[in-house]
Amino acid sequence: DREPTEAAFFGALDRRLLAAAAAVGLLALMATWAIVRGVTRPVEALQAATRDVADGAFTRRVVPGGSRETIALGEAFNAMAAELQRQEALRRDLVHDVAHELRTPLTDLRCRLEAVIDGLAPDPQEAVRALHDDVRHLGRLVDDLQELAQAEARTLALDVRAVALGPAIRTALRIAGLDSDARIAPLPPTEVAVRADPDRLRQIVVNLLTNAARHTPAGGGITIDAAVDGDLIRVNLHNTGSSLDAAAAARVFDRFYRADPARSRDTGGSGLGLAIVKQLVEAQGGRVWAASDATGVTVGFSLPRAEDGDAMQ
């Protein structure tokens, strides 16, 4: 009787062990499936989102999830998609703005030419002079666009060296035709030097001076100062007689942006000067800013400070 009882006991034990092993195996499979799905689901979502972005849907985003690595991957994808969306918006704005800027002088050229051809111009010589001014404006606009494109693409050749800031500012004043302008305050003595391309540094200051002079009325003032800020040199140009609200200050370095809502060429230039300044400064390791208060507008930039052992330009 003992042997059948033992056999029945061990048989039941074997069945329970088999059932337990099967249950453990099933639970292991379910856990593995859940883990795999937790990893593959975010990857599949990323794959689908990548295809959408490749088709031009730059507004596509994913919800980061899964492991720490897939969360980081999802956040990186969202940042990339946001930058692509921003670049696409900039491209559309550039095409629109270029079309707008070219349409006005071209329309003016056509009307003036038609008046001359039809013999309706009261003073043909004056009409031709006005046509020449429009052609010159178009030429400057094309040159500025080309330079801006090169700066944004980081294809400008830069000869970076130590440059004395004081002489560079005085040269820029002369180039801008403002060296004897009564609105320019005397330059404070400065012996600081920056690491920059000398020609591009002068271009930066000329553009800022030209912009400040355009918005400073007769009797107003333009001051220039420089200060050491750690490894950087900060340069500020302040002009009286104008102001910027917070939205304008944030956009003043955008392409074709003018605080003048009429977008007049006579009062606002080509709208590329400050955009070129921003790209040139950033290409040389600096940054730009703009601010406004009750006294006027300050536009400035920073560039790396030259080391004591650098040869001076």
Side-chain angles (χ1 to χ4, degrees):
D1 293 340
R2 184 178 178 182
E3 289 182 359
T5 302
E6 291 179 349
F9 171 77
F10 284 114
L13 180 62
D14 289 342
R15 286 192 296 273
R16 286 194 292 270
L17 288 174
L18 286 174
V24 169
L26 181 60
L27 289 174
L29 286 174
M30 293 175 63
T32 302
W33 180 84
I35 293 172
V36 170
R37 287 299 298 164
V39 173
T40 59
R41 187 180 294 111
V43 173
E44 290 172 354
L46 277 171
Q47 288 177 334
T50 301
R51 287 192 293 268
D52 291 341
V53 170
D55 292 335
F58 300 123
T59 58
R60 184 74 155 84
R61 301 291 186 272
V62 297
V63 179
S67 65
R68 183 170 55 187
E69 291 78 9
T70 55
I71 290 174
L73 184 60
E75 292 173 346
F77 173 85
N78 287 340
M80 178 198 70
E83 178 62 19
L84 287 174
Q85 184 180 4
R86 188 182 74 87
Q87 292 294 332
E88 176 63 15
L90 287 175
R91 185 192 65 80
R92 288 196 304 268
D93 290 345
L94 176 61
V95 172
H96 175 270
D97 289 338
V98 169
H100 176 89
E101 292 295 325
L102 292 177
R103 185 182 301 114
T104 300
L106 285 174
T107 301
D108 193 24
L109 275 171
R110 185 182 63 191
C111 293
R112 292 177 186 273
L113 283 170
E114 290 174 352
V116 172
I117 292 171
D118 295 338
L120 300 177
D123 186 348
Q125 187 174 3
E126 180 63 28
V128 171
R129 187 177 296 111
L131 290 170
H132 181 255
D133 290 341
D134 282 341
V135 171
R136 288 181 58 192
H137 169 74
L138 285 172
R140 288 194 302 269
L141 179 60
V142 171
D143 291 342
D144 287 347
L145 282 170
Q146 182 180 20
E147 187 165 39
L148 182 60
Q150 290 176 336
E152 289 180 337
R154 298 294 190 264
T155 58
L156 283 175
L158 297 174
D159 181 17
V160 177
R161 62 183 75 175
V163 184
L165 188 59
I169 293 176
R170 286 189 287 273
T171 300
L173 281 167
R174 187 178 68 253
I175 293 173
L178 298 171
D179 49 339
S180 59
D181 195 307
R183 296 173 297 175
I184 304 293
L187 296 179
T190 177
E191 298 181 356
V192 297
V194 296
R195 285 197 54 79
D197 182 300
D199 294 333
R200 299 304 180 183
L201 175 60
R202 286 190 289 270
Q203 183 180 3
I204 290 167
V205 180
V206 166
N207 284 8
L208 292 178
L209 284 168
T210 303
N211 180 74
R214 185 181 296 119
H215 294 94
T216 304
I222 300 173
T223 58
I224 308 171
D225 66 80
V228 178
D229 183 11
D231 295 332
L232 298 173
I233 302 296
R234 295 170 58 90
V235 181
N236 284 302
L237 279 80
H238 177 82
N239 71 277
T240 62
S242 62
S243 64
L244 294 173
D245 58 26
R251 294 193 57 200
V252 73
F253 292 100
D254 290 352
R255 288 180 298 226
F256 295 113
Y257 179 76
R258 297 192 187 97
D260 177 8
R263 299 178 63 87
S264 168
R265 284 186 286 140
D266 297 331
T267 60
S270 70
L272 292 173
L274 293 185
I276 291 174
V277 165
K278 180 177 186 292
Q279 294 300 326
L280 290 179
V281 168
E282 292 181 350
Q284 298 177 86
R287 68 180 189 88
V288 296
W289 58 84
S292 181
D293 56 26
T295 65
V297 173
T298 299
V299 180
F301 66 94
S302 65
L303 285 173
R305 182 182 181 184
E307 301 292 337
D308 294 335
D310 291 340
M312 194 69 66
Q313 170 69 27

